[in-house]
Amino acid sequence: QVRLVESGGGSVQTGDSLRLSCVASGYVYDTSSMGWFRQAPGKRDREAVAAIFMGGTTTFVADSVKGRFTITQNNATRTIYLDMTSLEPEDTGKYYCVTSVGRILPTLPALVLDWGQGTQVTVSS
């Protein structure tokens, strides 16, 4: 069983930065991939934000956050980070840490194996 614990969310102003962290325990190895989804207020769908292969440097970053968000990983501690800069009100939402199988990056909800509980990010103008 995999447990994902997110932290680092909060309420900030436009242009501020935040770092989200997610620590995985259980069956997550360097052959797994992890990433971040977000769900905006009032929206039903969750959007893939970024993902990374734990055994290397292969990454995915959504066009909507490219150039502002960076995903990194520390495989030794089974931790991933999402560094968010130049935050905008449109970035507001609940951010979920996820896993997927092997090198298949979790870029769609159907590819996600495990979900964390989420951490709230609120950006005010």
Side-chain angles (χ1 to χ4, degrees):
Q1 187 175 357
V2 172
R3 184 166 180 250
L4 303 172
V5 179
E6 304 102 331
S7 62
S11 296
V12 297
Q13 300 290 315
T14 297
D16 285 349
S17 300
L18 277 177
R19 172 178 251 208
L20 304 184
S21 301
C22 173
V23 181
S25 59
Y27 298 105
V28 176
Y29 306 103
D30 59 4
T31 53
S32 304
S33 295
M34 295 180 65
W36 296 92
F37 275 69
R38 69 183 180 187
Q39 187 170 21
K43 294 283 186 66
R44 183 187 65 181
D45 296 332
R46 295 180 181 180
E47 171 195 16
V49 177
I52 190 165
F53 175 56
M54 298 302 284
T57 57
T58 303
T59 60
F60 158 81
V61 179
D63 288 342
S64 57
V65 303
K66 198 164 289 183
R68 300 188 297 119
F69 291 12
T70 303
I71 185 168
T72 55
Q73 54 98 339
N74 183 334
N75 190 39
T77 61
R78 298 290 189 263
T79 303
I80 62 169
Y81 304 95
L82 186 67
D83 288 293
M84 307 185 292
T85 64
S86 302
L87 283 161
E88 304 166 350
E90 292 73 24
D91 297 317
T92 294
K94 197 160 190 180
Y95 284 68
Y96 297 88
C97 180
V98 301
T99 68
S100 62
V101 175
R103 293 178 179 266
I104 302 174
L105 299 181
T107 56
L108 295 170
L111 298 174
V112 173
L113 195 60
D114 304 285
W115 294 86
Q117 293 298 305
T119 185
Q120 180 67 35
V121 172
T122 302
V123 185
S124 303
S125 58

